[in-house]
Amino acid sequence: MPTVVLMDVSLSMTRPVALEGSEEFQRKNLAAHGLTMLFEHMATNYKLEFTALVAFSSLWELMVPFTRDYNTLQEALSNMEDYDKTCLEAALHGVSNVVQQEWGSACPCQVVLVTDGALGIGRGSLRHSLLTMKQRGEDKKFPLPFAFPSKLYIMCIASMEELQSSDALNNLEQLVSINGGEGQVLAVEGPLCLKNVQAMFGKLIDQAYSPFHAVLRCGHQASDVQVFPRPEPIMIDEEVDPLPRTIATDLEIVGFIEIADISSPPVLSRHLVLPIAVSKGEWTCSWGLAEE
């Protein structure tokens, strides 16, 4: 599914972080290192993924529209400027506009919000937005939940202790909850340093961007494949005690049928089955779609 990276470029992201035995970093530098790690992983394992980059402070700006060119994303990340105060509500409106203009409201999307946990001050702050969201008319509606299926991951360039010392953690967790509960708030475990920020982004990669590897069998033949996008667990509503159903990593072709005989069959999701070119260490395109 497509990804929108929402990068905080407010002044609070320029706060210095003293790293032992090295030059002084700013929080935005740590965020850039984490996103570089994510982009490198996606360029290797998620080449077919479309990703957009949005920067925000009191306003938002689409830095890179949806693309598969991770060099362009990395270049834009390196050239971001610093702006003024944080306004998360405006940024979330921006994400909603960007996704719906490109994909409509039916395509699932992952949103990765990178911030330092500073929620802004006064009118326009996240605290103010959450306090007033139920008192508004339809024309000033809060942007969450998004109009499209989504998962919201909030990457905080701050320690858990720092977030818990204020109401920042609770407010950020409210955003995930309002959006349907899909996603998570992640914070740095331990001191704020490059190693711990990379560990935090490693958790995001494991949860949201780990490739789905399987074995495709047809008779006596077998091939290692990647299923893209990664199949999600599905709840069957008709069952008395519904449990999440997952796709097995052992896939078997049981027969063949003419396309003309099935036309447009009802499906829960569609996926590419990509053979793994072990000798080259690269993914190659398959012949068609697999349907659940």
Side-chain angles (χ1 to χ4, degrees):
M1 62 182 77
T3 294
V4 178
V5 174
L6 187 57
M7 177 69 174
D8 186 348
V9 292
S10 62
L11 288 175
S12 62
M13 288 288 283
T14 65
R15 286 180 290 167
V17 178
L19 302 180
E20 186 177 346
S22 67
E23 62 180 306
E24 192 176 78
F25 274 72
Q26 295 178 344
R27 295 188 185 225
K28 67 175 184 179
N29 302 131
L30 296 179
H33 277 288
L35 285 174
T36 295
M37 176 180 170
L38 175 63
F39 290 157
E40 288 176 349
H41 170 83
M42 293 173 74
T44 302
N45 299 290
Y46 267 68
K47 288 184 176 179
L48 298 179
E49 186 70 276
F50 283 96
T51 303
L53 180 61
V54 176
F56 78 96
S57 54
S58 61
L59 302 174
W60 64 273
E61 180 182 358
L62 178 61
M63 305 297 293
V64 181
F66 285 101
T67 182
R68 291 171 172 165
D69 186 348
Y70 288 95
N71 290 329
T72 301
L73 289 162
Q74 187 60 55
E75 183 179 351
L77 183 65
S78 303
N79 295 327
M80 283 187 174
E81 299 180 5
D82 306 322
Y83 290 94
D84 51 3
K85 66 178 185 177
T86 304
C87 183
L88 273 170
E89 181 174 347
L92 295 172
H93 273 298
V95 170
S96 182
N97 291 339
V98 168
V99 172
Q100 291 188 80
Q101 286 177 10
E102 184 74 24
W103 305 103
S105 58
C107 180
C109 187
Q110 301 198 113
V111 179
V112 179
L113 166 61
V114 183
T115 184
D116 59 347
L119 307 181
I121 300 172
R123 194 176 188 86
S125 68
L126 181 58
R127 296 181 187 90
H128 182 268
S129 295
L130 293 175
L131 285 172
T132 60
M133 63 178 292
K134 295 182 179 179
Q135 306 164 10
R136 309 183 189 186
E138 194 66 27
D139 58 330
K140 296 183 179 179
K141 189 177 178 181
F142 191 69
L144 297 183
F146 288 125
F148 49 89
S150 62
K151 294 184 179 181
L152 176 60
Y153 293 95
I154 302 177
M155 313 300 291
C156 294
I157 310 301
S159 65
M160 186 62 73
E161 292 75 16
E162 185 180 350
L163 294 176
Q164 290 174 337
S165 65
S166 65
D167 60 351
L169 181 61
N170 178 56
N171 286 331
L172 292 172
E173 287 177 340
Q174 273 188 262
L175 289 181
V176 177
S177 178
I178 293 169
N179 197 47
E182 292 284 346
Q184 189 178 355
V185 178
L186 295 172
V188 175
E189 295 183 2
L192 194 55
C193 63
L194 182 58
K195 179 181 178 182
N196 291 340
V197 168
Q198 289 176 333
M200 177 179 68
F201 275 86
K203 289 183 179 179
L204 171 67
I205 289 170
D206 291 340
Q207 289 184 30
Y209 296 101
S210 56
F212 186 90
H213 292 163
V215 177
L216 180 65
R217 304 183 187 279
C218 183
H220 297 293
Q221 297 181 334
S223 175
D224 292 328
V225 297
Q226 179 190 6
V227 179
F228 181 88
R230 183 183 180 88
E232 298 289 336
I234 295 172
M235 299 291 289
I236 307 299
D237 295 334
E238 289 78 9
E239 296 182 353
V240 177
D241 295 315
L243 294 173
R245 299 290 188 90
T246 57
I247 303 299
T249 56
D250 199 43
L251 308 176
E252 187 173 356
I253 297 174
V254 296
F256 300 89
I257 190 170
E258 294 286 345
I259 288 291
D261 294 336
I262 57 174
S263 183
S264 299
V267 295
L268 294 173
S269 58
R270 294 174 181 267
H271 305 267
L272 287 170
V273 177
L274 309 175
I276 299 175
V278 178
S279 60
K280 296 182 180 179
E282 299 179 350
W283 310 116
T284 58
C285 287
S286 70
W287 290 100
L289 290 167
E291 299 176 350
E292 291 181 20

